[in-house]
Amino acid sequence: MSIKDLYNEWSSIYDSNENKTRDLDLVATQTVLSRLNYNSVLELGCGTGKNTTWLSENAEHITAIDFSKSMLEKARSKDYKNTVEFVEADLLKSWPIGNQTYDLVTINLVLEHIENLNTIFHQSHRHLKDDGYLFVSELHPFKQFTGSKARFELNNKTNVLEVYSHSVSEFFRAGKSTGFELDILHEWHDKESKKEPNPPRLISFLFKKKKRS
């Protein structure tokens, strides 16, 4: 089953099933982005609108893209404070948003399904205003290298999604080669975990688009 088909199935329980990665990602997003001022957001891989709801409280306009029709249906059913435009599209193809530019681009728990990071970073850079920010939140490479993958239980069946492992240096290289400079890097741990050691679950990057000289 394709990744898109699996996300369509996952949509029925995505907001309600136990998911530590999803919950920590929301914390990471709000913690990092609460320090920024932005009026427009391009949200890549919005899913069921987990982060969209919070982003709409701070941005006047959001363009939220996802390739899963079922995930988008869930997202559209929620309430938003400001304008949200939902777009069904494959991020590996040309994004159907014309020449629009934004103050902020967000990518949450998406790049593990993308083999070539440069493709996404390049298009993100193109659709950002000068001095705009790119926020990336992903499963930590440590978790990936020890075998952790996106998965969910449905109808007594474990569904495991195809993923690509990316090192920290890959994110750095993709950002630098595209014209970004790193503003903040943060590693996120499960605070409630009693396990020792307690390795980080997520890693987040806040990149800034260099202003043209």
Side-chain angles (χ1 to χ4, degrees), residues 76-95:
R76 288 190 179 101
S77 69
K78 298 177 179 178
D79 294 326
Y80 302 98
K81 184 175 180 180
N82 290 305
T83 303
V84 179
E85 174 191 7
F86 291 101
V87 178
E88 183 178 345
D90 186 339
L91 295 178
L92 292 178
K93 299 177 180 179
S94 180
W95 302 348

Side-chain angles (χ1 to χ4, degrees), residues 95-189:
W95 302 348
I97 55 176
N99 293 317
Q100 287 181 260
T101 56
Y102 301 83
D103 300 313
L104 172 67
V105 175
T106 65
I107 312 173
N108 294 69
L109 308 179
V110 169
L111 296 180
E112 63 182 322
H113 304 304
I114 304 293
E115 184 174 11
N116 186 350
L117 299 182
N118 290 329
T119 300
I120 305 300
F121 274 70
H122 177 76
Q123 288 212 69
S124 297
H125 190 273
R126 178 190 165 208
H127 289 287
L128 266 177
K129 298 176 182 178
D130 286 347
D131 289 331
Y133 287 93
L134 168 64
F135 175 70
V136 175
S137 174
E138 292 293 328
L139 193 67
H140 198 285
F142 178 88
K143 296 285 286 186
Q144 286 191 311
F145 296 154
T146 54
S148 184
K149 297 181 179 181
R151 67 184 69 210
F152 63 97
E153 302 278 344
L154 185 64
N155 299 324
N156 297 316
K157 178 184 177 182
T158 300
N159 298 277
V160 182
L161 284 73
E162 180 182 0
V163 297
Y164 299 96
S165 298
H166 298 297
S167 65
V168 176
S169 60
E170 283 184 77
F171 289 105
F172 273 107
R173 286 197 301 270
K176 184 177 181 179
S177 66
T178 315
F180 286 106
E181 52 188 21
L182 183 66
D183 189 54
I184 297 175
L185 182 153
H186 197 99
E187 295 172 302
W188 304 87
H189 299 257

Side-chain angles (χ1 to χ4, degrees), residues 14-28:
Y14 189 83
D15 287 338
S16 57
N17 71 324
E18 182 180 358
N19 189 330
K20 293 180 180 180
T21 299
R22 173 202 63 205
D23 296 343
L24 186 57
D25 174 70
L26 184 60
V27 172

